[in-house]
Amino acid sequence: MKFAIGQMVSGADKAANLAEITRLTEEAAAAGARLAVFPEFAMFDVPTLDAEFVKQGEPLDGPFVTGLAQLARRTGVSIVAGMLEAIDGEDRGYNTLVLVTPDEGLSRVYHKLHLYDAFGFLESDHIRPGDIAGPVTFTVDDVTVGMLTCYDLRFPEAAREHADAGVDLLLYPAAWMPGARKEDHWNTLARARAIENTLYVAAVSQGPSVGTGGSIIVDPMGITLGEIGESTGIAVADARPDRVAQVRALNPSLANRRFSVVASA
């Protein structure tokens, strides 16, 4: 299954952000991609996460998801993108990933589990964490796909749960914030999640200066299949379940485990 990651730089203009997703999705479709993946907060992003930021949230039947659904239907490409989801009656929002498909429209929703309360940042002041309810997965052709968000990358047990759920390709839409050693952490952790779980990882960040950029696709052996530096654009790769099986036959580390992990409330 051919898929694309689309690195972009989202801003305060939602229409412009959707237009950029449209441009990159059309490019991905022309390259034969069946799935296109965009960063965390692709819908709207500004440097400061505060009460004003939360006011920009939209419901799942709002203009952003509606626009994505129309785009998926027109191009024949399934799309995963990050958005700020409004919550009725609450002054916080969800940091949400949506999957829209050409046939179903809105198909899957993931609410970020691990909020970025680190490096001096307190995402939980304005974002409500998702409930622990198991992996959100879907299939495109013969490939099983899972999705986590940004800071989730630092929690190996979340990725392992997806490996146990049969995921071949694990997505990490992110707005990986710049800082000391952050680009190294991003690249190292993305490659580690692929190698230790013997699956594909597609980690797509906001580009500079909203994020670090450096979006990357890694195969189950740790080989980099595609990478985007500081620019906007797409990278395209093939995800193949037979490649996952081939690597696991050579490196059966999942089968050799002595214990598993269990999610805590």
Side-chain angles (χ1 to χ4, degrees), residues 232-258:
T232 60
I234 67 169
V236 180
D238 283 307
R240 296 168 29 219
D242 67 317
R243 172 62 172 165
V244 174
Q246 178 191 49
V247 172
R248 288 179 179 175
L250 181 66
N251 172 22
S253 58
L254 290 177
N256 290 343
R257 282 177 295 168
R258 300 289 300 279

Side-chain angles (χ1 to χ4, degrees), residues 72-83:
R73 188 163 52 250
R74 179 169 63 80
T75 59
V77 176
S78 295
I79 300 168
V80 170
M83 65 173 288

Side-chain angles (χ1 to χ4, degrees), residues 215-236:
S215 299
I216 188 171
I217 301 170
V218 188
D219 96 334
M221 189 58 101
I223 297 170
T224 299
L225 301 180
E227 192 166 9
I228 307 171
E230 74 282 6
S231 62
T232 60
I234 67 169
V236 180

Side-chain angles (χ1 to χ4, degrees), residues 173-233:
W176 200 260
M177 297 185 69
R181 305 295 297 166
K182 295 293 291 296
E183 290 183 58
D184 179 51
H185 292 186
W186 167 253
N187 185 279
T188 299
L189 291 171
R191 296 185 66 250
R193 296 295 87 84
I195 294 167
E196 69 195 2
N197 293 294
T198 52
L199 46 67
Y200 292 89
V201 163
V204 54
S205 176
Q206 296 275 355
S209 59
V210 174
T212 59
S215 299
I216 188 171
I217 301 170
V218 188
D219 96 334
M221 189 58 101
I223 297 170
T224 299
L225 301 180
E227 192 166 9
I228 307 171
E230 74 282 6
S231 62
T232 60

Side-chain angles (χ1 to χ4, degrees), residues 79-163:
I79 300 168
V80 170
M83 65 173 288
L84 173 63
E85 180 185 345
I87 305 174
D88 285 341
E90 185 164 338
D91 59 2
R92 295 188 298 176
Y94 280 127
N95 185 336
T96 298
L97 298 179
V98 294
L99 164 71
V100 297
T101 71
D103 295 330
E104 297 179 274
L106 180 62
S107 175
R108 298 286 191 282
V109 174
Y110 169 70
H111 295 142
K112 185 178 183 181
L113 281 180
H114 300 95
L115 300 183
Y116 188 54
D117 291 349
F119 296 91
F121 203 83
L122 283 175
E123 186 176 17
S124 61
D125 277 354
H126 302 286
I127 298 295
R128 177 174 168 175
D131 296 329
I132 298 173
V136 176
T137 67
F138 56 96
T139 59
V140 181
D141 298 337
D142 59 346
V143 174
T144 301
V145 186
M147 49 187 182
L148 292 167
T149 304
C150 197
Y151 190 51
D152 288 330
L153 182 62
R154 293 185 182 273
F155 299 85
E157 59 273 26
R160 180 55 53 87
E161 187 181 35
H162 283 71

